[in-house]
């Protein structure tokens, strides 16, 4: 399986990072290796190569069919479930790489940097673009999002990435983070929710 992710897909987050409010002309796509996957409530260990490891809460889409060059109107057929995930980012390394015009892989694709929760069937969520989600740390909500605020909708993203990658059963698509990202610390307890349904639950070590 592969993990594909979308950068800069919420306008307020773009402003949060860059001080500007804009929409990219096309989706910004990057990939994480399978070794980045963190699931089943296993703890996240902050790596020693970063001094600021940030959470980025996202909706994650699970691919259920083999597909290539998928038309947007048929994209809904190619995913069957949704969960909340965390795109952990070594923010200090990202700033350095962006300043130097270098690729992002090391700050985004390190081991356990793609945490995912339990999946919810698409049938339980009638409209993929009307999903509220949030992240709590130690019982306090720190980040909230709504899929309707995405700059590029889920079906658009599926169609776009399938131009470049053959999508396969079990592939995951992280759809971008809203504003409110921040650093994690040892000892924190992270819980992610779709509406009021808890789907993600793990500790930081």
């Amino acid at each position: 399986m592969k993990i594909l992710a979308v950068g800069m897909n919420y306008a307020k987050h773009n402003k949060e990072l860059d001080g500007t409010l804009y929409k990219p002309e096309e989706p910004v796509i990057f990939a994480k290796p399978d070794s980045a996957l963190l699931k089943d409530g296993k703890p996240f260990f902050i790596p020693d190569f970063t001094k600021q490891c940030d959470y980025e809460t996202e909706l994650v889409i699970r691919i259920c069919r083999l597909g290539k060059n998928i038309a947007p109107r048929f994209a809904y057929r190619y995913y069957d479930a949704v969960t909340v995930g965390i795109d952990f980012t070594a923010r200090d390394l990202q700033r350095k790489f962006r300043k130097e015009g270098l690729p992002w892989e090391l700050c985004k694709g390190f081991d356990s940097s793609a945490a995912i929760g339990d999946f919810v069937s698409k049938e339980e969520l009638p409209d993929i673009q009307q999903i509220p989600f949030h992240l709590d740390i130690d019982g306090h909500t720190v980040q909230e999002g709504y899929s309707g605020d995405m700059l590029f909708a889920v079906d658009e993203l599926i169609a776009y990435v399938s131009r470049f990658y053959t999508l396969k059963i079990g592939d995951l698509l992280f759809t971008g983070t809203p504003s409110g990202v921040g650093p994690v610390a040892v000892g924190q307890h992270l819980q992610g929710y779709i509406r009021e349904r808890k789907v993600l639950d793990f500790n930081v070590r």
Side-chain angles (χ1 to χ4, degrees):
M1 55 83 66
K2 56 185 170 291
I3 303 167
L4 301 174
V6 184
M8 299 186 288
N9 200 27
Y10 287 82
K12 289 183 179 179
H13 174 61
N14 298 346
K15 185 176 182 180
E16 178 179 61
L17 284 189
D18 299 324
T20 57
L21 190 63
Y22 71 103
K23 176 179 178 178
E25 291 184 7
E26 295 182 321
V28 176
I29 306 297
F30 60 96
K32 292 174 178 265
D34 58 1
S35 58
L37 193 62
L38 179 70
K39 60 182 182 177
D40 301 327
K42 293 179 180 177
F44 172 71
F45 291 86
I46 298 176
D48 59 7
F49 52 74
T50 179
K51 293 177 179 164
Q52 182 183 346
C53 189
D54 282 4
Y55 59 81
E56 296 191 4
T57 312
E58 314 197 4
L59 285 181
V60 181
I61 307 299
R62 185 175 69 190
I63 302 300
C64 65
R65 293 177 64 178
L66 183 71
K68 175 73 175 175
N69 291 320
I70 301 164
R73 67 183 182 279
F74 297 130
Y76 71 95
R77 299 178 181 176
Y78 289 82
Y79 55 90
D80 64 351
V82 183
T83 191
V84 169
I86 306 292
D87 168 22
F88 282 110
T89 303
R91 191 70 69 200
D92 48 352
L93 293 185
Q94 186 186 45
R95 292 191 188 103
K96 176 178 182 292
F97 295 153
R98 291 179 71 170
K99 183 178 180 180
E100 297 173 358
L102 298 174
W104 292 7
E105 276 82 356
L106 292 182
C107 70
K108 287 282 193 178
F110 55 88
D111 289 351
S112 300
S113 63
I116 60 168
D118 299 324
F119 281 94
V120 177
S121 170
K122 184 175 64 175
E123 279 65 37
E124 298 181 53
L125 302 163
D127 189 340
I128 201 76
Q129 294 304 150
Q130 292 187 26
I131 301 177
F133 59 99
H134 67 275
L135 175 70
D136 287 1
I137 296 182
D138 296 334
H140 302 284
T141 299
V142 296
Q143 190 176 19
E144 297 180 273
Y146 175 65
S147 61
D149 293 331
M150 291 180 182
L151 296 176
F152 298 97
V154 171
D155 290 356
E156 291 179 88
L157 295 172
I158 296 289
Y160 183 79
V161 297
S162 72
R163 291 169 52 194
F164 303 91
Y165 298 96
T166 298
L167 297 180
K168 297 183 177 182
I169 296 172
D171 286 352
L172 301 176
L173 177 65
F174 280 65
T175 58
T177 193
S179 60
V181 302
V184 292
V186 173
Q188 289 181 330
H189 183 200
L190 276 63
Q191 296 174 303
Y193 294 80
I194 289 178
R195 294 194 171 94
E196 298 308 314
R197 179 172 177 173
K198 183 170 67 175
V199 295
L200 181 68
D201 192 330
F202 66 99
N203 294 295
V204 178
R205 300 278 174 83

